[in-house]
Amino acid sequence: KGASQGHAPSQQNLGIMYYQGDGGIQDFVKAREWYLKGASQGNIRSQYSLGVMYELGQAGEQDYMKAHEWYLKAAIKGNVESQCNLGNMYYEGKGVKQDFAKAREYYLKGASQGNATSQHNVGIMNWNGQGVKQDPVKARLWYLKAASKNHAPSQHRLGEIYYHGQGVKEDFVKAGEWYLKSAAQGNADAQYSLGNMYYAGKGVKHDPMKA
């Protein structure tokens, strides 16, 4: 009732219901219709959700330009997911000219609000020297911020840093600790790395069964 009367949060909620198929009826077209109603009234979550649908081509063809448009509206209002996704678009050159400086700018916006994925991506850019001078020390600090929020890829990355002694003293025990945290969340790369450590007996007791 609230949605039909123009209540933007209710319109957003209806969009979610159709998007997720709550009640057994998944309908991307109707989801987009309700998101659009909410987004047109300035509802941030609806704007972000529309961006996702256009980026993924749900309820129509992929449209990176429209995705960018809706992400930008939400990002300006501080939506961290939209800031991160805009960073991805500039990093990969999706619908826009590839621009590492702009990618980093948007990642930093999300990272400063505590978004773990953005923090990880800032770490990657610092590590690779993309849009900024290469700085392994700063990269490790960003990975640590994300890893402390249980971000599995950052935990795996820290494992790699300690295992190979990249900018830090080689430390198989610490490497194993970070691999284990990541592997426990289902990260396949970390599970593989941890298996190798058990097989080789590096930082852990040699255990071919665990490997």
Side-chain angles (χ1 to χ4, degrees), residues 118-134:
S118 292
Q119 291 171 339
H120 176 77
N121 291 340
V122 172
I124 288 173
M125 298 193 79
N126 276 310
W127 188 269
N128 294 334
Q130 296 167 315
V132 66
K133 185 179 179 182
Q134 191 173 31

Side-chain angles (χ1 to χ4, degrees), residues 95-186:
V96 293
K97 184 179 178 182
Q98 189 178 49
D99 188 329
F100 288 146
K102 277 197 173 180
R104 186 170 181 273
E105 176 187 331
Y106 280 110
Y107 286 148
L108 279 171
K109 288 179 187 290
S112 66
Q113 293 193 72
N115 180 268
T117 302
S118 292
Q119 291 171 339
H120 176 77
N121 291 340
V122 172
I124 288 173
M125 298 193 79
N126 276 310
W127 188 269
N128 294 334
Q130 296 167 315
V132 66
K133 185 179 179 182
Q134 191 173 31
D135 191 332
V137 175
K138 281 187 178 178
R140 182 166 55 86
L141 291 175
W142 281 111
Y143 289 143
L144 190 57
K145 285 178 186 286
S148 67
K149 297 181 178 72
N150 289 321
H151 188 263
S154 284
Q155 292 169 336
H156 173 253
R157 192 69 197 91
L158 283 170
E160 293 284 279
I161 287 171
Y162 281 108
Y163 186 87
H164 296 287
Q166 298 171 324
V168 295
K169 186 179 178 181
E170 189 179 84
D171 190 328
F172 293 139
V173 174
K174 276 192 176 180
E177 289 173 357
W178 284 114
Y179 284 149
L180 186 60
K181 288 177 187 288
S182 183
Q185 296 190 71

